[in-house]
Amino acid sequence: MSKTIQLLAGIAAVALLATPVWAQQTTVKYMTFSAAPNYIAQLEETIAAFEAQHPDINVEYETAAFGDYFTKLQTLVASRSLPDTFELNYENFVTYAERNALLDLNPLIEADEGFDVGIYNPTALSAFALDGKQYGLVESFSNVVLYYNKDLFDAAGVDYPTADWTWEDELAAAQALTKADAGVWGTFSPIQFWEFYKTIAQNGGAVLNADKTEVTLASPENIEALTWMVDKVNTYKVTPSDAEMGGQSPEDLFKAGKIAMLRTGIWMLGAFADAPFAWDIALEPGKTQKAHHFFANGVAVSAQTQNAEAAYEWIKFLTASKEAVEIRIAAGWELPAVTDEAALEGYLAQPTPESREVVFEALDTAVVPPVIGNWNQLTDAVGKELDEAKLGRKTPEQALTDAAAIVQGLL
């Protein structure tokens, strides 16, 4: 070998060693449920934008329907063949973090001098942290707010809901708005687990204590809250019973002008856009404090990945880049959990509903589900007892006492 060839080979070797591992046309595998089936084109557009900025990283994606996604993910965990990056909702995040399936991102974040996690809503970002370790970056969020039919309020001469409304204010308005002979109901919120854990928080209650070692289901605050939920149907008759709904969803009844106030998710904003009446949204009333649902999807990196730096670059782009945020907002593909109002201008500028900023204001009083390892068993057990109270087969106190005994066994 000539000295010239040896010199060139040596230079090439040094250059290779100086090049980041992920810059050698690395392939990052990504698995998602939220893109399928309606947002595949947007996911591909996001990947194309990322690869244009990172020509040495190739992203390969795989999708699965939500109903199948976590069964498949569990299989991949068991076989130690997780993709480099994958999507998790908050309810399942804790399980995977506790199984040591996720990479702690803190070292990568701390080494990334050009990136500030302040770009994320702090409530949303903290949902994907556990024991001081950041195991995921928040991708999107949704919450539940109070929708109200302005035309019905105007016809009844009732003032619109305000941020300082209490349950008592809601009840007074609902009684004035209910027109039984016309099949119009003043208010609606479902009596089920997902509504229950948020409603008890509005009265200072909780399903579990802070460190999740004790069940607090049968507390006086929770009994009072469940009584309030049931009484709106059976005592005050401002909320329709299951029979009175006739198999229709509350969202359909609201859009038909038959429910004046409805607690439902911000995912219904688009569905109500063509409602034949004026409507808006407000913060939910509370008893002793405000509380709003918080649902979030995040993106994690596998603890076994061989491409940690490239994987981190991908999930950072997917969750926080201007390009990804704009693509999501334009498509209505959930709501990015970023704080930059300029980036969210396309969302906030939409004319209906007028009070769209309420979506972000609700994050200030967000509550997350009381997730434990036996999560599905907990929701099933509490849900069954809530049904017993709703149908009048048990008092709220008895139903919650019975539920508490079951959940304590799960701990």
Side-chain angles (χ1 to χ4, degrees), residues 91-109:
E91 291 79 8
N92 285 284
F93 158 73
V94 174
T95 299
Y96 286 87
E98 290 180 343
R99 290 181 183 178
N100 299 316
L102 312 181
L103 183 71
D104 177 14
L105 301 177
N106 280 336
L108 291 165
I109 292 171

Side-chain angles (χ1 to χ4, degrees), residues 30 45 73 109 153 277 282 392 397:
Y30 173 58
E45 185 181 356
L73 203 59
I109 292 171
F153 271 75
F277 52 82
E397 181 176 6

Side-chain angles (χ1 to χ4, degrees), residues 13 17 31 48 52 69 77 98 107 156 159 165 189 225 246 273-274 314 316 324 343 371 402 411:
L17 289 172
M31 187 171 169
Y69 182 86
V77 170
E98 290 180 343
D159 292 337
W165 260 27
S189 56
D274 61 347
W314 160 239
K316 183 175 67 171
V371 174
D402 292 346
L411 296 183

Side-chain angles (χ1 to χ4, degrees), residues 396-410:
E397 181 176 6
Q398 187 61 57
L400 293 180
T401 299
D402 292 346
I406 298 171
V407 175
Q408 188 66 54
L410 297 177

Side-chain angles (χ1 to χ4, degrees), residues 270-299:
F272 292 155
D274 61 347
F277 52 82
W279 59 277
D280 204 350
I281 59 175
L283 294 175
E284 289 193 35
K287 175 67 173 177
T288 63
Q289 62 189 31
K290 293 286 187 184
H292 291 85
H293 285 109
F294 174 74
F295 304 110
N297 293 333
V299 190

